[in-house]
Amino acid sequence: MKFDTPATANPIDRGRVVGIAHDRIEGAAKVTGTAPYAYERHDAAPNAAYGWIVGSAIGKGRIAAMDLRAAEAAPGVLGIVTHQNAGPLGKGDMNTAHLLGGPAIEHYDQAVALVIADTLENARDAARLLRIDYAPEQGRFDLAAERDKAAVPRAGFGGSADTSAGDFDSAFAQAAVKIDQSYTTPDQSHAMMEPHATIAAWNGDRLTLWTSNQMVAWGVSDMAKTLKIPKEKIRLVTPYVGGGFGGKLFLRADALLAALGARAVGRPVKVALARPQIPNNTTHRSATIQRIRIGADKDGVIDAIAHEVWSGDLPGGSPETAAQQTRLLYRGDHRRTAHRLATLDLPEANAMRAPGEAVGMLALEVAMDELAEACGVDPVELRIRNDVQYDPEALPQRPFSSRKFVECLRQGAARFGWDKRQPEPGRRREGRWLLGMGMAAAFRNNLVVASGARVGVDAQGHVTVETDMTDIGTGSYTIIGQTAAEMLGVPLEAVTVRLGDSRFPVSSGSGGQFGGNSSTAGVYAACVALRAKLAEKAGFPADEVTFDDGLLRMGNQSQALGALAGPDGLWAEDKIEFGDLTKRYAQATFGAHFCEVAVDMDTAEVRIRRMGGAFAAGRILNPKSARSQVIGAMTMGAGAALMEELHVDTRFGFFVNHDMAEYLVPVHADIPDQDVLFVEELDDKSSPMKAKGVGELGICGAGAAIANAIYNATGIRLRDYPLTIDKLIAQAEGSALA
């Protein structure tokens, strides 16, 4: 099915199943422990051996020598895989560094060996007996030190590195009010609950991987290129993923080394990364340095805006495209955005939790708060004055497919009680606590990706959906089930959803906030094809029938779906392919974050009292699961604002705080009150579902709202994330904290 014209009325509009709050259909299996994750597939590989990954002890250089003899002689050891015996290996398109290092070392903790044994303990203990001599080389580990050497990166997923419109320099020089500030964000780790894990088994020359991966088709393709075998000989199975956040978009060392280990010892091998290995061995979000300049008139109306970003990655890597939202969010005839990429020898930087906008909004929305203060304009009103209904960089003009940003601002402010905010910082006190309110816009591009599915109905009228789409904790099972139920006129209980298997049709996968909308649109397309087959069997015109209560109806005639399917069942397969609507219309999701904080006058401790937000993301397919996604994203925003930071040892090139004891993430107790409002919206140019992605919108801007609330409470403007106690104390003089 080609989606190249705006959606018209269709069965999804009935809203009998789609748009209704439903419990997660796989929820009971997850909370009772009966949903098997990758490392737990004992049914598929009951005799699996255990692999333990050994990572490089240097950040850059070469392996000079390896002595495996003591490890090979250790109890229970079945084999050891290194670059010396792994055979010729390629590299997947999505990987920046090689997943098995040696003799060259590209980053600290790059996998250099897999020790395979009969038990996990034996594998781990033997791994400690490996003797590896290195020849270290001088590495580049400090973004600030390499900033001046940063280069223009190639165009990538976020588009061109640079954009411009008008004459920014002249307009900024002439502006009545100017903001020119720099902001920094640190390296961050995904810190998902389930570690990277894989069980691999060979059957002749065919490989099966039970793994934790967000993008099944990408995983198959990159494994084939790495092992240099046809992708038709690889099956990847990942029905349950315990969190990914972008860290599992791509093939990782656990999958490759499990496959190499299983081939080496002739039996299945299971590999899981230990928690301390994840930050350095896998991927992370790069630190950024961001400069924002805004020129406006005395009423806060923007005429000139520029956003420049510096980030770092390994050779061949990609930038953190933190200026993406600045290209679309606010008005201004004179504009400039620029990304620069420094070559660093730190572990691979890549997509994480709304790449680009998540950290870009941390800077932009604080700059907007500074502009509001400089102009004496309320921060909500300032954003309303700078709303724009078209892409401000595009010529000829490209309107938004839908944009309810102003509605989010107004409804969110009213719901939060924004009118009670004191504009002057440090005015509200409660005992020893300084209280403050802050707000920020929410913005995330709406991406669409081709997605396929297969849908069938059996003789009992039960519907089954198969697609390689993954559920990373976001509710894919449920909204896909709701889509099929709505399209075929059956209750949700009459639908079985099967996900995460490369034998199923290729879907969008889970990433970039595109999964929910695109994958359900693919199911929609398959259901349209199945409806046509059922109508044909009934002898009815496909465009004149309705599907209700397990029946196909036309006028006063009806036939049961099960009877039409017959004893062999009836199946149909199709995919959604998107035309040029994304070129003709700018597509994005919008929102407004609000936050109230309390700051201890004696200790500078920050406590979030409440967070609220209003969001517009097209049709909300399941309000219950969508709300859960948004409050989870808001929580991640709180982590980015207050505590999350990978500390780089710039001498040796590794992240020091690489476990959950020292890498801090927020929990429920950190945010006792969260409120979410979805503004009613249908976007007929996004997909036949008239929906948009929502999973990452909630993180974009949340941290900036916290930063702005801290300023309102204390009068201290912090521009270096995370906003920790030491930074507040360092600037306390002359503030309400003094």
Side-chain angles (χ1 to χ4, degrees):
M1 173 184 289
K2 191 69 172 282
F3 183 72
D4 52 8
T5 58
T8 55
N10 64 53
I12 297 297
D13 294 329
R14 299 184 306 177
R16 299 176 184 177
V17 187
V18 169
I20 307 299
H22 288 277
D23 291 344
R24 299 270 287 272
I25 61 177
E26 87 290 5
K30 288 181 174 177
V31 299
T32 58
T34 56
Y37 288 81
Y39 203 68
E40 303 166 341
R41 289 303 303 270
H42 312 299
D43 59 321
N47 64 329
Y50 293 80
W52 188 274
I53 290 178
V54 177
S56 168
I58 63 170
K60 184 175 176 59
R62 298 182 68 81
I63 294 175
M66 302 182 77
D67 186 348
L68 313 181
R69 290 173 294 179
E72 288 172 333
V77 171
L78 304 172
I80 300 176
V81 174
T82 71
H83 72 279
Q84 296 172 334
N85 61 5
L89 297 176
K91 187 174 73 169
D93 294 340
M94 307 293 180
N95 296 128
T96 305
H98 292 84
L99 298 179
L100 177 61
I105 298 299
E106 296 165 278
H107 64 83
Y108 182 85
D109 222 8
Q110 183 177 20
V112 296
L114 181 77
V115 178
I116 308 144
D118 56 349
T119 68
L120 175 66
E121 293 77 12
N122 282 339
R124 179 197 62 200
D125 294 347
R128 295 169 179 164
L129 300 176
L130 285 179
R131 295 292 176 261
I132 305 175
D133 294 330
Y134 296 96
E137 298 174 8
Q138 182 63 45
R140 297 155 292 188
F141 307 129
D142 187 340
L143 175 61
E146 300 297 322
R147 171 179 174 174
D148 292 342
K149 303 173 189 174
V152 179
R154 66 183 185 277
F157 203 63
S160 300
D162 299 354
T163 62
S164 64
D167 184 350
F168 170 79
D169 291 328
S170 296
F172 183 73
Q174 297 169 18
V177 182
K178 300 183 182 68
I179 299 296
D180 185 351
Q181 295 291 350
S182 291
Y183 308 82
T184 63
T185 64
D187 297 280
Q188 296 174 334
S189 180
H190 301 85
M192 71 290 290
M193 186 177 293
E194 181 198 19
H196 296 72
T198 301
I199 298 176
W202 291 86
N203 183 4
D205 62 351
R206 294 186 173 272
L207 171 66
T208 300
L209 300 167
W210 297 269
T211 190
S212 187
N213 187 281
Q214 295 174 232
M215 305 289 291
V216 171
W218 289 5
V220 169
S221 178
D222 272 8
M223 181 61 82
K225 290 176 181 177
T226 305
L227 291 178
K228 299 186 176 182
I229 64 175
K231 63 181 181 180
E232 292 76 21
K233 294 184 179 294
I234 299 173
R235 179 186 176 194
L236 195 152
V237 184
T238 180
Y240 300 105
V241 181
F245 307 128
K248 295 175 182 174
L249 285 172
F250 318 117
L251 190 71
R252 301 309 315 164
D254 60 292
L256 174 62
L257 290 176
L260 293 173
R263 187 167 65 183
V265 301
R267 63 189 275 194
V269 169
K270 59 194 306 182
V271 177
L273 290 180
R275 180 63 61 178
Q277 294 176 306
I278 293 174
N280 288 292
N281 179 267
T282 65
T283 66
H284 71 287
R285 192 204 302 278
S286 171
T288 69
I289 301 168
Q290 304 180 49
R291 182 189 183 191
I292 295 180
R293 287 173 287 172
I294 306 176
D297 66 19
K298 60 182 178 58
D299 296 319
V301 177
I302 296 171
D303 185 45
I305 185 167
H307 192 163
E308 298 160 280
V309 182
W310 292 262
S311 60
D313 201 358
L314 290 164
S318 301
E320 183 73 23
T321 52
Q324 285 188 110
Q325 71 290 318
T326 310
R327 298 172 176 178
L328 289 167
L329 187 49
Y330 297 118
R331 64 171 295 160
D333 291 336
H334 306 281
R335 321 175 62 85
R336 177 186 300 158
T337 69
H339 297 93
R340 296 294 178 265
L341 182 63
T343 298
L344 297 179
D345 300 302
L346 291 172
E348 181 177 337
N350 218 312
M352 175 179 160
R353 303 184 201 159
E357 291 99 326
V359 291
M361 295 290 280
L362 288 173
L364 176 63
E365 288 304 291
V366 172
M368 288 294 288
D369 202 65
E370 298 191 57
L371 177 64
E373 182 182 43
C375 296
V377 177
D378 177 82
V380 173
E381 176 60 27
L382 179 85
R383 288 163 173 82
I384 292 173
R385 291 180 186 181
N386 287 289
D387 182 48
V388 61
Q389 293 297 312
Y390 52 87
D391 178 348
E393 292 189 355
L395 287 175
Q397 197 174 95
R398 184 172 71 131
F400 279 94
S401 59
S402 65
R403 177 175 168 129
K404 291 200 171 182
F405 180 40
V406 170
E407 290 86 342
C408 291
L409 290 165
R410 288 180 170 150
Q411 294 180 36
R415 188 175 174 108
F416 193 77
W418 181 253
D419 58 335
K420 298 179 178 61
R421 171 182 177 268
Q422 292 286 338
E424 184 179 345
R427 293 294 301 275
R428 292 179 61 206
R429 302 192 180 198
E430 187 179 281
R432 73 171 198 256
W433 296 95
L434 296 167
L435 306 183
M437 287 188 188
M439 64 81 53
F443 175 94
R444 177 75 166 132
N445 268 305
N446 180 58
L447 305 175
V448 291
V449 179
S451 191
R454 183 164 53 236
V455 182
V457 59
D458 65 16
Q460 286 72 46
H462 192 90
V463 174
T464 299
V465 183
E466 295 178 340
T467 171
D468 80 359
M469 179 63 181
T470 51
D471 190 322
I472 60 175
T474 47
S476 300
Y477 278 100
T478 307
I479 61 170
I480 285 173
Q482 288 177 261
T483 302
E486 190 78 78
M487 290 295 293
L488 297 171
V490 300
L492 183 56
E493 295 75 21
V495 179
T496 295
V497 180
R498 303 177 67 194
L499 301 181
D501 191 323
S502 59
R503 297 182 304 179
F504 300 156
V506 175
S507 73
S508 62
S510 297
Q513 195 176 262
F514 53 64
N517 183 29
S518 297
S519 67
T520 52
V523 174
Y524 173 97
C527 286
V528 169
L530 181 58
R531 285 165 61 106
K533 284 189 174 184
L534 289 165
E536 182 181 7
K537 289 200 72 173
F540 299 154
D543 57 353
E544 296 182 19
V545 299
T546 59
F547 288 72
D548 296 297
D549 303 322
L551 301 172
L552 184 152
R553 302 178 189 271
M554 190 180 77
N556 59 1
Q557 302 179 70
S558 66
Q559 295 191 45
L561 299 187
L564 290 170
D568 296 329
L570 192 62
W571 289 83
E573 181 176 331
D574 201 356
K575 66 178 179 180
I576 194 79
E577 294 182 285
F578 294 91
D580 66 350
L581 287 175
T582 56
K583 295 179 181 178
R584 291 159 49 196
Y585 297 91
Q587 295 191 15
T589 56
F590 298 89
H593 288 283
F594 298 86
C595 179
E596 183 176 51
V597 302
V599 182
D600 191 300
M601 296 177 62
D602 298 320
T603 67
E605 175 191 0
V606 177
R607 291 187 181 178
I608 297 173
R609 291 204 163 183
R610 58 193 181 102
M611 296 180 75
F615 305 94
R619 171 180 274 127
I620 301 301
L621 303 179
N622 184 335
K624 189 171 188 176
S625 61
R627 178 183 181 275
S628 293
Q629 287 194 69
V630 172
I631 64 172
M634 292 164 70
T635 303
M636 294 174 194
L642 298 176
M643 57 187 70
E644 291 194 56
E645 177 180 15
L646 285 170
H647 294 276
V648 183
D649 187 321
T650 55
R651 301 169 301 168
F652 304 114
F654 72 99
F655 302 125
V656 181
N657 55 328
H658 48 236
D659 58 40
M660 294 302 286
E662 296 185 52
Y663 185 83
L664 305 178
V665 296
V667 296
H668 293 294
D670 292 310
I671 313 171
D673 186 356
Q674 288 174 289
D675 179 60
V676 173
L677 169 69
F678 290 116
V679 173
E680 289 191 14
E681 181 184 45
L682 297 177
D683 191 333
D684 61 355
K685 301 168 190 69
S686 175
S687 80
M689 306 298 291
K690 303 174 186 173
K692 301 178 187 178
V694 75
E696 295 177 337
L697 176 63
I699 191 176
C700 300
I706 296 169
N708 295 335
I710 291 173
Y711 176 76
N712 183 246
T714 65
I716 299 174
R717 181 72 74 182
L718 297 180
R719 303 182 182 93
D720 177 25
Y721 292 93
L723 315 176
T724 49
I725 289 173
D726 58 311
K727 296 171 186 175
L728 283 167
I729 291 174
Q731 296 189 35
E733 186 175 348
S735 74
L737 277 179

